[in-house]
Amino acid sequence: MPDNDSSFITHPSAFLQVSGLRAGYGPLQVLKGVSLRVERGEIVALLGANGAGKSTTLMTVCGVNPARSGQIIFEGEDIANLSPHEIVERGVVQAPEGRRIFPRLTVRENLEMGAYVRGHDAADWDRVFVLFPVLKDRQKQLGGTLSGGEQQMLAIARALMSRPKLLLLDEPSLGLAPMVVLRIFEIIRDINRAGTTIFLVEQNARMALTAAHRGYVLQTGEIVLTDTSARLLESSEVRKAYLGE
Ligand SMILES: Nc1ncnc2c1ncn2[C@@H]1O[C@H](COP(=O)(O)OP(=O)(O)O)[C@@H](O)[C@H]1O
Ligand SMILES: [Mg+2]
């Protein structure tokens, strides 16, 4: 491991510190002791092949999937055994893989659902409508009638309505046309510049590393590589396995 051994060491003061996390489904052990950290203000990317355990990592951090062992320390508190609701209250909010918007609710109702844990005010609406003007225009339209890119925007906007301190994004580019992917990633950077820390799961490694400050590579439930995005983009291992070079 080059120059970055420290990334594998527990940082007690990190914003999010995951240590030795194990999780799975029935007899299937998916996460085999994952350790990673996210600092306040960062975009951190989690890369890996299909089935590596990326979504499981995010779902375990946000409490949808139980941790079997290990720690998930967020702002000094172990949130590993809290309910999803309690984790949202602390400011950790996910936009899940596959968007999972409510197709039969309007755009506005979808956004209200996002705000139900923490409540909402005019500033929350302003914030999402500045980032996503298309959603402002379509407030009364049913979620299911939006294009794929608009549904992804709605999923991110819905997460923002919970006022996340740490936003977890699972495959925001999945199934979207290249132009739409570029737009989504511009918005991700805007959200980060406005102060929200982002932990991003992506199969589109190039887009993810272009946006992120640092990255981790997950392989069959274990972190095998971590570095700055610039160095990961140059690493022959990443180029061969994840950038198709
Ligand atoms: N709900 C589930 N029940 C059983 N197995 C699952 C479930 N979700 C994911 N898996 C399995 O866990 C492994 C990791 O999946 P996942 O975390 O979704 O990977 P990734 O997001 O990296 O593609 C895969 O082998 C997948 O088939
Ligand atoms: Mg996944």
Side-chain angles (χ1 to χ4, degrees), residues 38-137:
V38 178
E39 296 296 348
R40 195 186 299 272
E42 281 189 309
I43 301 179
V44 174
L46 180 63
L47 312 176
N50 197 11
K54 303 182 300 297
S55 294
T56 301
T57 303
L58 286 199
M59 290 196 301
T60 308
V61 169
C62 70
V64 172
N65 187 57
R68 289 180 172 171
S69 62
Q71 289 184 319
I72 305 169
I73 310 286
F74 180 68
E75 291 197 302
E77 178 189 15
D78 193 348
I79 60 169
N81 293 309
L82 299 185
S83 69
H85 184 101
E86 291 167 321
I87 292 173
V88 170
E89 278 176 348
R90 282 159 180 73
V92 179
V93 184
Q94 184 192 27
E97 184 176 341
R99 341 222 202 272
R100 312 252 185 93
I101 59 142
F102 302 103
R104 294 206 176 85
L105 297 185
T106 64
V107 166
R108 192 171 180 90
E109 287 163 344
N110 267 277
L111 293 172
E112 281 166 354
M113 294 296 280
Y116 92 105
V117 171
R118 304 185 96 187
H120 56 78
D121 58 29
D124 293 312
W125 293 102
D126 287 348
R127 179 157 83 124
V128 301
F129 289 151
V130 166
L131 282 164
F132 305 100
V134 65
L135 298 181
K136 185 172 187 179
D137 298 340

Side-chain angles (χ1 to χ4, degrees), residues 184-203:
I184 296 275
F185 271 88
E186 274 174 27
I187 294 168
I188 289 170
R189 275 185 287 238
D190 286 344
I191 293 169
N192 176 251
R193 277 194 217 102
T196 305
T197 306
I198 295 176
F199 186 38
L200 168 73
V201 158
E202 260 293 341
Q203 280 197 51

